[in-house]
Amino acid sequence: MREALPAHKPWFAASIWEWIFTTDHKKIGIMYGVTSTLFFIVGGLMALGMRLELFNPGAQYVKPETYNWFLTVHGTVILLWWAIGIWASFANFLIPLMIGARDVAFPRLNALGYWMFFAASVIALLTFIPGNQIMTMWTGYPPLASTEGIGFAGQTALFVFIWHLTGFASIAGAVNFITTVIMMRQPGIGFFNLNLFIHGIMAANVIQLLGVPSVAGAVTMLFLDTYLKTSFFDPSRGGDPVLYQNLFWFYSHPAVYVMVLPGFGIISEVVSAFARKPIFGYRSMAIAIWAIALVGFMVWTHHMFVSGIPDWVKILMSYTTLLIAVPTGIKIFNWVATLYRAAILYKTPMLYALGAIFMFLIGGLTGIPLGIPAFDVAVHDSYFVVGHFHYVLGMAVTLAAFAGFFYWWPKVTGKMYSEGLGKVSFWLVMLGSNVLYFAQLIVGIWGMPRRYYDYPPIESWIELHHLQTYGAFVLAFGILLALVSLIKGAISGEKAPDNPWMSNSLEWRLPSPPPPHNFDEPPKVEEDYCPHGYCKF
């Protein structure tokens, strides 16, 4: 007779000390998720503050310095804590489960990475203290950021420390995830039958390993210029501010793919499960993810078309920028082909995944002309650019993340979310975000510059700013409803079955929520195992 296993304590019943000293990848994933979501809310509230200020021309509610602080913190926390940080939550919780492992390769390094991320969070909160505000913008360009006390950039040191700490956390996570996937997969799981989510996470973390040292060096030199009066970026003493831009964008453009590739993976998981079909063209999808990561390192100077770079560099980078549309086009074609003649279940995760595809398509189509120098110069630093990158990095990433929240919520909590609230939240998010960001595209084409506290009383601009503000509040209400749907589900939702979506992926073969040790025994992987093989289950 087989001996009964002792009952395990679910993650939400852990004591405060267990949370502080835990090395369990699932608890660390939840801590990343909570931290990222809280900062997502902070960044969103600052965006609403900016929208109110821009509702009409002239001074409305805040001073110019406060507006610049809102703009800097909004950009920094949404990009570093949400668009990049939230994937550490998904990766920590899911990767060992998807490959049949009991933990990550280096659990203590994993915990250290989170606490570095937490320390960066504390420093970010210090900028709320009067006198500590950072106003460097999220890019930290010199000479604004390196002119202490003159350029109103605030505490550049805090900006630099935030980059260093989040960079360390990113490197620690990248080493851990890559090693875990390479060394701890169950026999039978190879490169071409990994979950596409894992391909997205792996490619994103390879970018982190190669790119973070570049931006870490740039902000370190910025710190030295600001406080020790070196002259890396000071042209009056032989330095070159364009050097900073090269180092910064060598990482920060590929970082766009750190933000979207894991989202592509989540979209693939959700679309396959709710279309109840294997993903169309799996191999081309996996290759496209890695092609995007590779070509992403060859396009960074398209951010600098107005920086006086040679024409041949502009032409070269224009070609490589347009080239990246090929693998991204393959992914969109394959998602649509997966949906073709499928018996689709329009549950909340599927709606959010379809919304993410739509928003990425709009963002991608508006990005193609920005890769052409003649057009880019005409709209550079205008609201058209703001609308473009909010479609991609703001909404495609956010919708993909919420698709993942709703999809794996039953696995994480053991409870079902509120389906009705989830669907209403989706339609509000789509309505609000498209009103907001499409109006930004139009006002940008009509000449409205970005990053400005005020604007002239041009009637058409005022109307479009009114639309943007209305859209922003509808979007915020939609996000609030989505969070209410999830939290309500966790507190009082129906008990979730172990595999509510009938997926073939390994994490759905575990109880919900998974036990601390994940698998009682190493899971058996079939010879023809396919994580998206819904039809085989």
Side-chain angles (χ1 to χ4, degrees), residues 296-308:
F297 274 107
M298 303 177 188
V299 303
W300 80 92
T301 58
H302 74 217
H303 293 273
M304 302 159 57
F305 280 158
V306 297
S307 298

Side-chain angles (χ1 to χ4, degrees), residues 329-341:
I330 288 172
K331 299 191 72 59
I332 289 177
F333 176 84
N334 286 3
W335 287 324
V336 173
T338 304
L339 297 173
Y340 178 64
R341 304 187 73 172

Side-chain angles (χ1 to χ4, degrees), residues 76-77 96 106 124 126-127 157 176-177 182 199 229 264 283 303 329 389 431 465 496 509 525 535:
T76 304
V77 304
F106 308 113
L126 289 178
T127 68
N176 229 331
F177 298 139
I182 292 175
H199 277 292
K229 306 308 175 189
F264 287 171
R283 289 187 176 229
H303 293 273
F389 70 68
L431 174 66
H465 276 292
R509 302 184 188 184
V525 177
C535 58

Side-chain angles (χ1 to χ4, degrees), residues 383 391 433-444 463-465 467-468:
Y383 261 73
Y391 264 104
S433 58
N434 279 289
V435 169
L436 168 58
Y437 299 124
F438 205 79
Q440 288 187 342
L441 293 173
I442 296 172
V443 79
E463 291 172 355
L464 287 169
H465 276 292
L467 271 179
Q468 290 176 54

Side-chain angles (χ1 to χ4, degrees), residues 449-471:
R450 64 191 282 201
R451 298 188 178 121
Y452 276 59
Y453 163 75
D454 196 7
Y455 56 94
I458 301 171
E459 188 174 350
S460 58
W461 287 16
I462 295 172
E463 291 172 355
L464 287 169
H465 276 292
H466 286 177
L467 271 179
Q468 290 176 54
T469 307
Y470 298 142

Side-chain angles (χ1 to χ4, degrees), residues 490-511:
I491 295 173
S492 59
E494 294 178 11
K495 187 176 185 309
D498 291 342
N499 189 359
W501 317 129
M502 299 299 287
S503 169
N504 197 37
S505 186
L506 287 187
E507 78 272 20
W508 294 106
R509 302 184 188 184
L510 287 166

